[in-house]
Amino acid sequence: TSDGTFAFGRAGFDFFISNRNTLSISSNFGGGNFDFSDQNTIRYDTLAVITNEIRNTKGINRFRSLGGQIGYKHNFPKPGKELTADINYNRSKSENDQDIFFVQFDETGVPLNKSGSQLVDAGGQNKLLVGQVDYVNPINENMKWETGARSQVRWFESFQLNTFNNVFLPRLSNEFEYVDYVHAAYVNYSQKIKKANFNYQLGLRVESSSYDGVQIGKPGRFKNEFPLALFPSAFISKTFKGKQDLQLNYTRRVNRPSFFQLLPNTDFSDPFNLQTGNPNLVPEFTNSLELSYQKTYGPKNNTFLLTLFGKQTENLIARYIRPEKLAGTDSIRQISTFVNATTAYAAGLEIVFRNTIAKWWEINYNANFYYSKINGVDSIPGLENERNSFFLKFNNTFRIGKGWTAQLSGDYNSRS
């Protein structure tokens, strides 16, 4: 059972300095309290003995957040030409405490001398500062330049303190803090060539990023740096006679690990699902290429879309379950965490149909067939995974009349 409340609020104003300059100031706040209680009956069935356990958990989750934003916008006399700048600052704090008690019984219900308690004192805080400026300059109705820059700094602290049977165990507790930086600049150029029914957009983003984390009271420091990373992009489209379109897109993207994936604090509250982060994770980089063909046909403008896609990822962030000896004990447990694979590949074909059968009936079909492969981890030899997969989806929409509609849909996902 869980009971709680939460609330969010926002207030701000715009100050029109002139007919071309606007200053905006706003603030936001939020918070919530969630109390919960949980009871589990667990059956341990081994070759030697059957044991039953009742496990009661009471906990509280609280969070508070506060932030502010200052924005500026300048409209030039030329239509569509504008300059915007924003500074955002947000901070949040959380508290996550649990009080756990368990007792065990034999198969006949007689209490065993195996009971205990666990206290989990956990929480953390997060501060985020972001500054951004963007400039848009349409050269004419068919050509446009865009450029901008962005800086982000994040400070994060988290702790989880574990007490078992009224004894605090520092080896099973953790305090972690880190700071990361991302500084970036970008430029985009787009053009429409009407006579040739041809559009394109070319872009380039440059980023510098770093991450530095430390476990309080424990040896070791966790760092990674990418002083210069380039992210090009290209979007090309061509329209042909007979309501046909062809598109070719290429992008390079980055996916940075979340703070949950980085935190080395092992969650011991569920004995069957021990989870921890990996502070050694690095960002993953993905190159994606996509070719699409679309055909609109018939008096009811039915559409057919065919897409070929492929992507290659470096340092893919993947979930991994490993056996590990708990600190200070001889007990080996399975712990779920995250690792960076060396590379990963995926390629496939997607087909989409949208057909209007009658005024009252529309059908959408979607089929996707793809191959994916994940290469191993340098520090864990022998890990590889590859598979052919597919999924199928369909959706029927029926217009009954007088504003009423009904839908019939289904999907199938293969192993992936």
Side-chain angles (χ1 to χ4, degrees):
T1 60
S2 179
D3 298 292
T5 57
F6 65 92
F8 295 94
R10 178 182 171 87
F13 69 89
D14 294 330
F15 176 56
F16 299 97
I17 303 172
S18 67
N19 65 333
R20 299 197 181 281
N21 298 279
T22 305
L23 181 68
S24 302
I25 299 177
S26 64
S27 64
N28 57 79
F29 66 90
N33 295 344
F34 297 90
D35 300 331
F36 68 91
S37 62
D38 186 37
Q39 184 178 94
N40 289 284
T41 301
I42 303 168
R43 175 186 174 93
Y44 299 88
D45 191 347
T46 70
L47 293 175
V49 66
I50 295 177
T51 304
N52 296 306
E53 177 181 298
I54 295 179
R55 187 178 183 89
N56 292 317
T57 303
K58 291 186 176 181
I60 58 171
N61 294 315
R62 296 177 179 147
F63 73 93
R64 301 289 184 268
S65 65
L66 181 66
Q69 179 186 45
I70 299 176
Y72 169 75
K73 183 176 182 179
H74 174 73
N75 290 314
F76 293 87
K78 186 177 182 179
K81 184 178 180 180
E82 63 181 34
L83 174 70
T84 59
D86 299 279
I87 297 178
N88 290 270
Y89 177 75
N90 287 277
R91 64 182 304 167
S92 61
K93 189 175 183 179
S94 64
E95 179 182 351
N96 314 101
D97 299 336
Q98 296 184 57
D99 187 351
I100 304 168
F101 175 77
F102 64 89
V103 61
Q104 293 187 348
F105 304 85
D106 66 13
E107 190 175 7
T108 63
V110 176
L112 301 173
N113 189 24
K114 291 184 179 180
S115 63
S117 64
Q118 177 185 354
L119 293 175
V120 181
D121 179 14
Q125 61 179 343
N126 180 38
K127 294 182 287 186
L128 180 65
L129 177 64
V130 180
Q132 182 166 335
V133 59
D134 297 282
Y135 173 69
V136 180
N137 182 19
I139 301 172
N140 54 45
E141 63 177 6
N142 297 318
M143 292 187 290
K144 182 171 66 174
W145 282 100
E146 298 174 87
T147 186
R150 186 178 192 270
S151 286
Q152 171 185 300
V153 185
R154 179 172 57 177
W155 299 267
F156 186 85
E157 299 177 17
S158 179
F159 65 89
Q160 187 182 81
L161 310 178
N162 286 284
T163 299
F164 292 87
N165 296 325
N166 299 317
V167 178
F168 174 63
L169 298 180
R171 66 180 181 273
L172 297 183
S173 302
N174 210 318
E175 293 182 70
F176 185 68
E177 61 182 34
Y178 71 83
V179 59
D180 66 30
Y181 306 86
V182 181
H183 307 296
Y186 74 93
V187 60
N188 285 332
Y189 175 75
S190 58
Q191 183 177 6
K192 299 178 182 178
I193 304 175
K194 291 185 177 180
K195 291 184 178 181
N197 294 321
F198 182 74
N199 302 330
Y200 70 92
Q201 176 180 303
L202 303 176
L204 178 65
R205 191 173 79 254
V206 181
E207 283 192 4
S208 175
S209 61
S210 66
Y211 153 80
D212 188 357
V214 62
Q215 288 181 276
I216 307 301
K218 296 183 180 181
R221 200 169 192 94
F222 309 94
K223 300 182 67 175
N224 65 66
E225 290 183 307
F226 295 87
L228 185 65
L230 301 178
F231 299 93
S233 62
F235 303 90
I236 303 171
S237 64
K238 168 74 173 177
T239 301
F240 299 91
K241 293 181 180 180
K243 298 182 180 180
Q244 301 178 89
D245 295 285
L246 190 66
Q247 294 186 2
L248 178 64
N249 304 329
Y250 166 77
T251 58
R252 185 172 191 256
R253 302 188 305 272
V254 61
N255 177 36
R256 294 183 175 84
S258 68
F259 61 89
F260 286 116
Q261 294 172 323
L262 290 170
L263 288 182
N265 304 349
T266 302
D267 185 359
F268 293 98
S269 58
D270 184 349
F272 301 105
N273 187 27
L274 301 185
Q275 301 183 66
T276 186
N278 179 2
N280 288 307
L281 285 178
V282 300
E284 62 181 31
F285 298 88
T286 300
N287 294 289
S288 297
L289 186 64
E290 186 176 282
L291 177 63
S292 298
Y293 169 77
Q294 179 172 290
K295 168 71 175 176
T296 302
Y297 60 94
K300 298 176 182 178
N301 288 325
N302 298 322
T303 58
F304 164 72
L305 177 64
L306 176 67
T307 302
L308 295 171
F309 61 89
K311 65 179 181 178
Q312 177 263 342
T313 302
E314 302 170 13
N315 303 322
L316 176 78
I317 299 174
R319 184 174 289 277
Y320 176 63
I321 299 177
R322 68 170 186 258
E324 183 177 300
K325 182 180 290 188
L326 297 184
T329 71
D330 293 326
S331 177
I332 296 178
R333 306 294 291 275
Q334 303 291 332
I335 297 181
S336 177
T337 185
F338 300 90
V339 293
N340 285 112
T342 53
T343 54
Y345 305 91
L349 167 70
E350 183 173 22
I351 302 172
V352 179
F353 280 99
R354 184 180 67 83
N355 291 279
T356 301
I357 306 300
K359 291 183 178 180
W360 54 273
W361 185 13
E362 183 180 284
I363 298 178
N364 286 275
Y365 294 102
N366 181 207
N368 195 311
F369 307 89
Y370 62 97
Y371 164 81
S372 59
K373 180 178 181 180
I374 300 176
N375 289 327
V377 181
D378 289 337
S379 60
I380 313 173
L383 285 186
E384 285 195 352
N385 195 335
E386 63 179 321
R387 178 177 290 276
N388 292 306
S389 304
F390 68 94
F391 66 78
L392 305 172
K393 297 180 180 179
F394 75 89
N395 183 67
N396 294 267
T397 301
F398 305 96
R399 297 177 180 86
I400 302 174
K402 296 183 179 180
W404 289 87
T405 62
Q407 286 191 341
L408 174 65
S409 60
D411 62 83
Y412 177 82
N413 290 277
S414 71
R415 293 182 179 182
S416 62

